[in-house]
Amino acid sequence: MRSATTWLMGLVLLAHAVGAAGAQAVPAAAPAPALPGTVVLMELDGAIGPAAVDHVRRGLRLAVREQARLAVIQLDTPGGLDASMRDIVKDILASPVPVATFVAPDGARAASAGTYILYASHIAAMAPASNLGAATPVAIGAPTPAVPDTMAAKRLADASAYLRSLAQLRGRNAEWGELAVRESASLSAAEALQKNVITLIAQDVADLLRQVDGREVRTAQGVLRLSTRQAQVLVFDADWRSRVLSVITEPSLALVLMMLGIYGLLFEFSNPGFVLPGVVGAISLLLALFGLQMLPVNYAGLGLIFLGVAFLIAEAFLPTFGALGVGGIAAFCIGAVLLIDNEAPGFGVPLWLVGALAVVSAGFIVVVAGAAAKSRRRPPVLGVSTLVGATGELVEFADGEGWAQIQGDYWKVRGAQGLRAGRRIRVMRVQGLALQVAEDNTEGPSRA
């Protein structure tokens, strides 16, 4: 019995040893190679405005859905609106996907608002022949340095602190950021790299992805190591919505649409029944108001535009000998100049357009409103009053009243007792709802 037990224990130990040896002999499975991943590329070319905000925001959402390794903003801008720039910066700071802003191609710039976007990005890159800087905020009425202004000083301090906070967040040169805001300083790509303003210089997007591969960046989700060497680039182009938004938020076009809307509705109200001017005018006015509500509009300027148009309309109806017309043109021109409360590049209304619209407005009001006023002064061509002097035939008559056929219609008439049915009569005047008639002694057919 004891030998049998010993034999069984030996078998168990042998089986355990064979299993352990087999386990050691089987090599561990090699880890699967990492997938190349995706990089989302967005291009911003032109002024930073509401359309740029919409494009970047939806591009970053796409990067999150695709679980992209990196989102690249290829930037070439002269600047733009402060509110739009801050919206883009907020989206970059909150993005779980790392963002690289690349000032490209050669000859591109990241001026004014573009400098803030570059500082806010996780990776800041530039093409060799590009530049950045000149980030001083400018608004209409900004004083010269010789004239102190409290609001201008507040704007300058706020912009400086904002860029300094972004520089500290990304570990970039905060001192030069101060110079860019307070003294409108600018740098070339090589100088920006030397002064620790940017991360690297790249020839193109492919070169950028090669250089950032393996770098660690801190995002809203923590520290991430980039793997972009073999990433597939997904270009996120602006769709019809972004293009339409870009068009209607152009201040010059918004002003033209607004005037077209006012003139279309005015023409329709002056000449009811045309329909098309009213439809085009209503659509144009709504598009203009939608575009203007997304821009930094000076409501005093908008009020002056409407006041100027009202004066021009009044000039066509009132005998003011040009006083209202001159005042209307002046109010319109001043309002158009003050309409956009910002001198950001690409968001001003050119003076030649203001002058052209003023001339067209004056001509339109004089022609259309003047024609409408003259039509009101003309005698009516329809109605019972037009029958005075017309002739007809008395159909029946008794006791001073009866019916007569005049111009193909039957009318109630009144006249002298001597009138008889079948006689020719002439309308002398209108008396309430009846016509006062008398016998017509002239020869010939009745007047139509």
Side-chain angles (χ1 to χ4, degrees):
M1 185 66 179
R2 183 175 182 181
S3 61
T5 304
T6 305
W7 182 75
L8 288 174
M9 292 181 61
L11 287 177
V12 172
L13 292 173
L14 179 61
H16 178 74
V18 171
Q24 292 176 359
V26 177
L35 296 177
T38 304
V39 170
V40 175
L41 174 63
M42 300 161 278
E43 294 186 5
L44 289 186
D45 188 2
I48 302 298
V53 176
D54 179 73
H55 184 50
V56 171
R57 183 166 294 166
R58 292 191 296 115
L60 292 178
R61 289 174 183 169
L62 174 64
V64 173
R65 289 197 305 269
E66 295 291 331
Q67 296 182 350
R69 304 294 177 85
L70 184 68
V72 179
I73 301 175
Q74 184 169 310
L75 184 63
D76 181 11
T77 178
L81 302 178
D82 178 77
S84 298
M85 174 270 294
R86 290 177 182 262
D87 286 340
I88 292 177
V89 168
K90 291 176 183 177
D91 291 339
I92 292 174
L93 297 179
S95 174
V97 177
V99 178
T101 297
F102 182 33
V103 185
D106 285 336
R109 57 177 170 167
S112 190
T115 301
Y116 293 84
I117 296 174
L118 194 69
Y119 261 79
S121 303
H122 304 88
I123 301 291
M126 297 177 68
S130 58
N131 66 283
L132 82 159
T136 304
V138 181
I140 284 181
T144 60
V147 181
D149 186 275
T150 303
M151 291 304 300
K154 288 182 178 180
R155 283 194 301 267
L156 199 63
D158 177 69
S160 177
Y162 191 50
L163 191 57
R164 186 170 62 250
S165 66
L166 295 176
Q168 293 170 353
L169 177 66
R170 302 302 185 200
R172 301 199 175 101
N173 192 329
E175 289 74 16
W176 184 85
E178 293 268 357
L179 293 177
V181 173
R182 297 186 178 277
E183 300 180 12
S184 296
S186 297
L187 287 178
S188 65
E191 293 170 335
L193 182 61
Q194 181 183 2
K195 293 180 179 295
N196 189 32
V197 174
I198 62 174
T199 310
L200 54 92
I201 296 176
Q203 297 292 335
D204 51 27
V205 174
D207 185 28
L208 169 67
L209 298 183
R210 284 193 298 269
Q211 293 192 50
V212 301
D213 183 63
R215 290 178 180 263
E216 290 186 350
V217 294
R218 182 177 297 277
T219 68
Q221 302 297 322
V223 178
L224 298 178
R225 181 181 293 273
L226 300 179
S227 177
T228 58
R229 184 175 293 274
Q230 297 180 347
Q232 179 183 1
V233 178
L234 176 61
V235 179
F236 181 67
D237 292 324
D239 60 1
W240 66 270
R241 172 181 170 176
S242 296
R243 292 190 178 97
V244 170
L245 190 60
S246 176
V247 169
I248 63 177
T249 52
E250 169 67 31
S252 299
L253 183 61
L255 179 60
V256 172
L257 285 174
M258 183 175 67
M259 301 311 299
L260 183 63
I262 293 174
Y263 298 152
L265 293 177
L266 176 63
F267 186 86
E268 181 65 30
F269 292 151
S270 301
N271 303 274
F274 279 89
V275 180
L276 181 61
V279 171
V280 174
I283 294 174
S284 300
L285 188 59
L286 288 176
L287 286 175
L289 293 177
F290 175 74
L292 290 175
Q293 64 93 22
M294 303 187 72
L295 295 170
V297 174
N298 186 326
Y299 290 99
L302 188 63
L304 282 171
I305 291 176
F306 285 115
L307 182 64
V309 173
F311 281 171
L312 290 172
I313 295 174
E315 175 63 33
F317 290 90
L318 301 176
T320 61
F321 305 101
L324 284 177
V326 173
I329 293 175
F332 175 82
C333 292
I334 296 172
V337 171
L338 297 178
L339 179 62
I340 304 300
D341 193 13
N342 196 294
E343 287 186 350
F347 284 93
V349 179
L351 295 179
W352 66 265
L353 179 62
V354 174
L357 288 177
V359 173
V360 171
S361 300
F364 182 87
I365 296 300
V366 168
V367 173
V368 176
K374 290 179 181 178
S375 68
R376 289 185 176 88
R377 290 193 291 267
R378 287 198 298 265
V381 295
L382 296 174
V384 68
S385 61
T386 61
L387 296 177
V388 176
T391 59
E393 183 178 348
L394 198 60
V395 177
E396 59 180 60
F397 193 83
D399 298 329
E401 294 183 349
W403 293 87
Q405 186 178 22
I406 304 171
Q407 294 185 354
D409 293 323
Y410 288 93
W411 296 88
K412 186 177 181 180
V413 296
R414 293 173 182 166
Q417 292 288 344
L419 292 176
R420 295 289 182 271
R423 299 284 182 93
R424 294 182 57 79
I425 48 93
R426 179 180 295 275
V427 179
M428 307 306 296
R429 63 181 181 274
V430 178
Q431 205 172 43
L433 298 179
L435 304 178
Q436 186 71 28
V437 297
E439 186 173 358
D440 181 28
N441 297 320
T442 61
E443 296 181 357
S446 61
R447 196 181 75 176

